[in-house]
Amino acid sequence: MDLGIRGKRALVCASSKGLGRGCAEALAEAGVDLVMNARGAEALEATAAEIREKYGVNVVAVAADVTSAEGQAAVLEAAQGVDILVNNAGGPPPGMWTDWEREDFLSALDANMLTPIAFMKALVPGMIEKGWGRVVNITSQSVKAPIAVLGLSNSARAGLTGYVAGTSRQVAQYGVNINNLLPGSHDTDRIAALDAGAAKNAGISVEEARATRQSTIPAGRDGTISEFGATCAFMCSQHAGFMVGQNILLDGGNVNATL
Ligand code: NAP
């Protein structure tokens, strides 16, 4: 399917690996030029070079921490005038509700709520001016069904979801569509780290922890970053112009709910 976005420009935050990389690749395949970002310059430059080579699009790589003011300024300088924004950052650590102090919540809010809001505030006005724009926020299935050990993530992402619910309806009239994409378990470094933590806590092997987790997914497996990226690219496409303020769950059926 032609996504109708060839020649547009996108900022994909936190995209040297994992879900962000999947989104960057799928947009590049659709002919979109990219501003890519991650903190680690080496992996970022390597991924950017692979994408340039494979898809022939322009890729600007900005090594910066999107949760810091300086990092946001560096990314925004390169991303002025983008048509598409994919918000993403690392997820907060797991733990118990008794572990978390104010500082832990502030870090989670910075990464998974306030940074995406800052990028939307900076870049959506340019999209409104052009009469076309797409924003996809990578959140989590925990927005629909809490994951108890990820209380920091549950809290921060709920805040972003509330913000998007209202804001998306304020900007839709200008041709700008803001939606959220909710990953369930996907095969990335993040899920490998969570499996390692669960294995340690339960005194079992990482393989056993992974198999136990995957046995609860109706699809019987983790998602791939290319499946995730393809969904993101569709949400950024011409075809998604009537999708406003939605929370699209990609979880292999893991959230056991009718709606
Ligand atoms: P990942 O494989 O660990 O990749 C994270 C990417 O983000 C890397 O490129 C990393 O590069 C970059 N990054 C992390 N923190 C950053 C920061 N502060 N500034 C700029 N770049 C940053 O993680 P993932 O699995 O793709 O997860 C992406 C998001 O989806 C996370 O918020 C995660 O909690 C959420 N999520 C994932 C799953 C899953 O199953 N994978 C499920 C639900 C939700 P550097 O380290 O070099 O910065």
Side-chain angles (χ1 to χ4, degrees), residues 101-135:
E101 304 296 342
R102 178 180 166 77
E103 289 309 312
D104 302 305
F105 281 101
L106 291 180
S107 298
L109 289 171
D110 268 338
N112 302 121
M113 179 183 173
L114 299 175
T115 295
I117 289 174
F119 280 125
M120 281 186 266
K121 194 150 181 261
L123 297 172
V124 166
M127 299 178 193
I128 289 176
E129 218 164 277
K130 289 192 263 188
W132 196 96
R134 299 283 186 266
V135 179

Side-chain angles (χ1 to χ4, degrees), residues 61-73:
V62 184
D65 181 343
V66 287
T67 67
S68 72
E70 313 80 65
Q72 287 174 15

Side-chain angles (χ1 to χ4, degrees), residues 13-21 37-41 43-44 64-68 88-92 111-112 138-142 147 150 153 157 182-191 194 225 228:
C13 298
S15 54
S16 65
K17 299 178 193 164
L19 302 177
R21 178 183 176 143
N37 152 263
R39 292 164 303 182
L44 177 64
D65 181 343
V66 287
T67 67
S68 72
N88 186 32
N112 302 121
I138 299 178
T139 64
S140 172
Q141 73 172 22
S142 68
I147 301 170
L150 293 178
S153 169
R157 297 189 200 278
L182 285 53
S185 296
H186 282 73
D187 186 11
T188 68
D189 290 356
R190 162 85 174 165
I191 205 78
L194 291 173
I225 65 167
F228 190 85

Side-chain angles (χ1 to χ4, degrees), residues 125-197:
M127 299 178 193
I128 289 176
E129 218 164 277
K130 289 192 263 188
W132 196 96
R134 299 283 186 266
V135 179
V136 172
N137 300 293
I138 299 178
T139 64
S140 172
Q141 73 172 22
S142 68
V143 168
K144 296 236 180 212
I147 301 170
V149 294
L150 293 178
L152 293 171
S153 169
N154 298 337
S155 307
R157 297 189 200 278
L160 176 63
T161 304
Y163 174 88
V164 166
T167 307
S168 60
R169 288 166 169 89
Q170 290 180 316
V171 304
Q173 65 190 301
Y174 305 111
V176 179
N177 299 68
I178 309 180
N179 293 286
N180 303 319
L181 182 51
L182 285 53
S185 296
H186 282 73
D187 186 11
T188 68
D189 290 356
R190 162 85 174 165
I191 205 78
L194 291 173
D195 283 343

